[in-house]
């Protein structure tokens, strides 16, 4: 079983600092169609998101569930769906216990990715991690998944960091372009590219 591990803010929906109201959630253009294509190709779609706003006291887990319910509804209205939604509510220094915690689930640690691998029987080495920050890619890389950085959200900033570091990174404009790359026949010729778009 192959999967695409997906970040949320800046990857599926418009980046909002500490999105705390379901009404703030707005899908980025082309997202439902990209998800449908990946599903049709047999990929499990696993959303993995850091939500330290819970630890910081900016919103509750109940509010976060309502935000995710809106995300599911917006996708369903366009014929798209996620196979799982997992989030990390923790922060190592902000807030109070139990949310102030050093955990295994906060990206770039791969705890939530590992959970999905076990749940669905995913072959991580044949899977992909898509997000707008390098930590999204690092969490996937810890399990052998190929990372794809999107320029939406914080991606353009993160692209400059990747270039400065000299780290080979696949970079595309958005989730639709990420789906194009994932579904392309040959990744080998592009695996050492820093930028796969023109």
């Amino acid at each position: 079983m192959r999967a695409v591990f997906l970040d949320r803010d800046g990857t599926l929906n418009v980046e909002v600092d500490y999105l705390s109201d379901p009404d703030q959630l707005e899908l980025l253009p082309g997202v439902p169609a990209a998800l449908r294509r990946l599903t049709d190709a047999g990929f499990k779609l696993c959303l993995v998101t850091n939500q330290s706003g819970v630890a910081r006291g900016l919103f509750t887990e109940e509010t976060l569930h309502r935000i995710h319910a809106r995300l599911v509804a917006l996708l369903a209205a366009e014929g798209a769906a996620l196979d799982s939604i997992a989030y990390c509510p923790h922060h190592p220094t902000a807030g109070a216990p139990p949310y102030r915690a050093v955990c295994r689930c906060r990206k770039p640690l791969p705890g939530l990715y590992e959970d999905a691998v076990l749940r669905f029987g995913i072959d991580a080495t044949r899977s992909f991690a898509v997000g707008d920050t390098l930590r999204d890619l690092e969490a996937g890389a810890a399990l052998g998944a190929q990372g794809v950085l999107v320029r939406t959200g914080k991606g353009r900033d993160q692209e400059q960091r990747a270039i400065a570091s000299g780290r080979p990174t696949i970079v595309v404009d958005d989730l639709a372009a990420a789906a194009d790359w994932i579904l392309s026949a040959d990744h080998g010729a592009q695996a050492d590219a820093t930028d796969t778009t023109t």
Side-chain angles (χ1 to χ4, degrees), residues 112-187:
L112 295 178
Y113 293 62
E114 292 170 339
D115 292 345
V117 164
L118 291 174
R119 176 179 175 185
F120 295 114
I122 292 166
D123 181 350
T125 64
R126 297 174 59 237
S127 297
F128 301 85
V130 181
D132 69 325
T133 69
L134 294 178
R135 68 185 175 195
D136 301 319
L137 280 55
E138 290 163 7
L143 300 182
Q146 169 68 60
V148 182
L149 182 72
V150 292
R151 291 192 177 105
T152 46
K154 300 173 182 173
R156 290 190 183 276
D157 233 20
Q158 295 283 295
E159 179 183 7
Q160 295 308 309
R161 288 183 54 194
I163 291 170
S165 73
R167 179 188 319 177
T169 306
I170 303 302
V171 184
V172 298
D173 281 342
D174 54 20
L175 187 64
D180 288 341
W181 190 84
I182 290 168
L183 297 173
S184 66
D186 179 21
H187 298 295

Side-chain angles (χ1 to χ4, degrees), residues 45-165:
L45 303 182
C46 303
L47 177 66
V48 182
T49 178
N50 284 354
Q51 293 297 323
S52 69
V54 175
R56 298 172 192 274
L58 301 175
F59 50 88
T60 65
E61 286 195 77
E62 190 276 331
T63 298
L64 186 57
H65 291 311
R66 290 195 292 114
I67 290 168
H68 287 154
R70 174 171 167 79
L71 173 62
V72 168
L74 290 175
L75 291 174
E78 300 290 336
L82 299 166
D83 291 289
S84 64
I85 296 176
Y87 64 89
C88 171
H90 307 115
H91 192 277
T93 59
Y99 294 119
R100 188 182 68 219
V102 176
C103 63
R104 60 181 282 276
C105 55
R106 180 174 169 81
K107 295 181 288 186
L109 294 177
L112 295 178
Y113 293 62
E114 292 170 339
D115 292 345
V117 164
L118 291 174
R119 176 179 175 185
F120 295 114
I122 292 166
D123 181 350
T125 64
R126 297 174 59 237
S127 297
F128 301 85
V130 181
D132 69 325
T133 69
L134 294 178
R135 68 185 175 195
D136 301 319
L137 280 55
E138 290 163 7
L143 300 182
Q146 169 68 60
V148 182
L149 182 72
V150 292
R151 291 192 177 105
T152 46
K154 300 173 182 173
R156 290 190 183 276
D157 233 20
Q158 295 283 295
E159 179 183 7
Q160 295 308 309
R161 288 183 54 194
I163 291 170
S165 73

